Amino acid sequence: MTLTNEDITMSNEKLTDVLVRKLGIYELRALAREMGVPSPTTKRRNELVELILENKEKVKNSGIANAALGGKKGRPFKKLGTIDEIMDAVINEDDQKIEAPVGRPTYEKLICFAQEMPQFEHVAKEFRILTGVLRMANLSTYFIDNKFGIKVFIPEEKIEEFNLSKGDFIKARCVKINNLGHFMADKLMEINFIDVDKYVVKSLQKNRPIISREKFPFGNAMICCGRRNVVEYSTDIFEDENFEDFAKDCQSRGVRVVVAGLNISFENDIMYDNLEGITTFTTVYGSDASLGVARVVDAIAFCEKMNDRGEKTLLFINDMVEVLRTLDKNYFNPDNNESHAPESVVIAQKILSLGRAYEGGLWTTLLVAYRDVDKNNDFLNNELFKVSVKI
């Protein structure tokens, strides 16, 4: 988002109004949530703008925002990359400089998507049915097709019409718009696996976190629901029936099964494709490493969305060490002596943070696989094993 010179010369109060009104729908929802507006994903854009502006003084006077942001101050006059910066722009009206981040990057900083507007060219009409997890940047809303890696832009009017938000899983008829291989969603077919004609936006107010005592069988062991479980494999996943049987059992219990894995074997890819009812975020052996980052980020956003909608979710990580190795190819500094790039570790920690349970029976459960040859890996021993149940 870029402000004009005319915007910048306005009074601080007026400038704040301009900043808020220029935000995209996703940023408005996130900002409204930070300000305590109830169920922001169920509200329209104009309603969110008014509620934010009504609450601005209340939040500013309470000091809640500064406490939440660790006392950070500043107002960006050009790009608002994260919700923390937007909060600064709206609440701290007397300061004009953002301090550069120091130390290990946060997950939110790592996944700031590049600002890109769709480019329309005169091309022969080509339609495809594509699916993916919705991403929202300042200038565009799009998804990366979950199978072919095609970028699909979503028109703003469809965002408004169906009240879409980050993490929604979209199935759409799409039309090619340029020779770069980009598509535009022409007709939405499903949202979160529900026909658009029957789709209802849900935004669950979660109860307090708890330690769940619920367990499911996995082979001869038991999975602890709402926690992080780790399992060691000496062979590839497809070579025994434990996961297939477990996935089918989860579905019979009304649990959504999600698989995330990078650089997986061709056989595992075939197995996951043939299992009905599971949602996969995977790349096959030899795929471009940058596609792996997209798959993992989308898997995280999707699991968070399912949790927000009140759905129990089981996230299976095909091979955690291979996930880290693939991420390392995007971030690794050859002069760094650490076993994994800091950015890879941050993303892996974000995955682990998904495993939790809430009062009322809602949970997201992690089942993380690793190969026996990797059991001395630093991340496994220093991070994963310390916060997980071994089965």
Side-chain angles (χ1 to χ4, degrees):
M1 183 191 74
T2 303
L3 298 181
T4 66
N5 291 333
E6 180 181 358
D7 292 335
I8 297 174
T9 59
M10 295 179 181
S11 66
N12 283 337
E13 187 68 28
K14 184 65 175 176
L15 178 57
T16 299
D17 291 353
V18 171
L19 281 166
V20 171
R21 295 184 189 282
K22 287 194 175 186
L23 296 179
I25 186 67
Y26 168 58
E27 292 170 324
L28 284 170
R29 287 170 177 159
L31 181 53
R33 189 176 293 110
E34 292 285 340
M35 288 186 160
V37 174
S39 302
T41 57
T42 64
K43 294 178 172 58
R44 298 293 183 183
R45 188 180 191 286
N46 291 340
E47 185 180 3
L48 286 174
V49 168
E50 297 308 317
L51 287 170
I52 289 170
L53 294 178
E54 287 174 10
N55 280 270
K56 181 187 64 176
E57 285 303 318
K58 170 184 162 185
V59 178
K60 179 181 178 182
N61 293 336
S62 71
I64 293 173
N66 278 333
L69 298 174
K72 184 182 65 175
K73 295 183 178 182
R75 169 168 60 247
F77 282 122
K78 293 188 178 179
K79 291 185 178 179
L80 298 177
T82 68
I83 197 61
D84 282 1
E85 294 171 4
I86 297 167
M87 283 291 289
D88 279 345
V90 175
I91 302 303
N92 303 311
E93 296 185 346
D94 298 324
D95 303 285
Q96 299 183 0
K97 182 179 179 181
I98 293 181
E99 298 179 2
V102 295
R104 175 171 287 185
T106 65
Y107 178 75
E108 288 71 22
K109 294 283 187 183
L110 283 176
I111 63 164
C112 286
F113 302 121
Q115 302 304 309
E116 184 177 357
M117 292 294 287
Q119 300 177 32
F120 294 88
E121 300 173 0
H122 293 291
V123 296
K125 279 195 174 182
E126 177 184 338
F127 290 93
R128 300 184 70 168
I129 305 299
L130 302 172
T131 62
V133 173
L134 201 66
R135 300 176 170 194
M136 289 187 163
N138 289 339
L139 300 179
S140 59
T141 303
Y142 64 94
F143 65 81
I144 304 295
D145 177 71
N146 210 32
K147 186 173 183 179
F148 303 105
I150 295 170
K151 179 173 285 189
V152 179
F153 292 95
I154 310 292
E156 185 68 25
E157 59 268 21
K158 294 192 184 298
I159 302 297
E160 290 287 328
E161 179 182 357
F162 297 102
N163 211 2
L164 301 176
S165 61
K166 169 190 169 185
D168 282 327
F169 196 93
I170 306 298
K171 180 178 181 180
R173 185 184 73 174
C174 308
V175 60
K176 190 175 181 180
I177 59 173
N178 58 42
N179 289 320
L180 298 174
H182 296 161
F183 281 68
M184 178 73 75
D186 175 62
K187 179 182 179 181
L188 298 192
M189 302 168 66
E190 294 180 2
I191 305 171
N192 297 322
F193 309 98
I194 301 171
D195 289 344
V196 291
D197 294 338
K198 301 176 182 178
Y199 182 71
V200 177
V201 174
K202 294 181 182 178
S203 183
L204 183 73
Q205 189 67 40
K206 297 188 186 72
N207 296 323
R208 69 184 182 90
I210 62 168
I211 299 174
S212 173
R213 302 301 179 186
E214 190 176 359
K215 294 185 178 181
F216 287 174
F218 181 82
N220 297 322
M222 298 296 287
I223 295 289
C224 295
C225 299
R227 297 178 64 182
R228 294 151 300 281
N229 305 266
V230 294
V231 57
E232 179 181 300
Y233 274 81
S234 57
T235 60
D236 212 347
I237 308 298
F238 76 92
E239 294 191 69
D240 69 54
E241 297 179 353
N242 282 344
F243 177 76
E244 290 188 64
D245 293 341
F246 177 65
K248 293 173 183 176
D249 183 43
C250 284
Q251 292 174 66
S252 71
R253 298 170 186 261
V255 176
R256 182 172 298 281
V257 179
V258 180
V259 174
L262 305 183
N263 207 37
I264 67 174
S265 68
F266 300 111
E267 292 79 10
N268 278 341
D269 184 53
I270 293 169
M271 178 186 70
Y272 296 139
D273 273 349
N274 289 332
L275 281 175
E276 293 185 7
I278 70 170
T279 308
T280 58
F281 297 91
T282 58
T283 62
V284 75
Y285 176 76
S287 297
D288 189 272
S290 62
L291 185 58
V293 177
R295 290 288 186 266
V296 172
V297 167
D298 285 347
I300 291 170
F302 177 71
C303 288
E304 291 178 325
K305 169 60 69 173
M306 293 299 100
N307 199 260
D308 287 342
R309 288 181 57 81
E311 293 196 30
K312 290 183 178 180
T313 305
L314 184 286
L315 174 59
F316 178 70
I317 306 298
N318 182 86
D319 183 340
M320 177 57 88
V321 176
E322 190 60 40
V323 168
L324 284 160
R325 288 172 180 151
T326 305
L327 294 175
D328 284 342
K329 293 176 182 178
N330 293 276
Y331 300 117
F332 196 70
N333 181 348
D335 296 327
N336 194 329
N337 293 323
E338 298 182 45
S339 59
H340 294 293
E343 295 87 347
S344 302
V345 173
V346 166
I347 294 174
Q349 289 172 334
K350 178 66 175 180
I351 293 173
L352 299 185
S353 73
L354 297 173
R356 61 183 61 195
Y358 300 90
E359 277 186 338
L362 176 63
W363 47 249
T364 297
T365 298
L366 263 67
L367 178 57
V368 181
Y370 68 95
R371 298 296 294 269
D372 57 344
V373 294
D374 295 319
K375 61 187 175 183
N376 294 322
N377 177 270
D378 286 347
F379 181 85
L380 296 184
N381 286 277
N382 296 331
E383 303 274 353
L384 180 62
F385 294 159
K386 289 182 179 180
V387 295
S388 305
V389 179
K390 288 188 178 181
I391 63 170

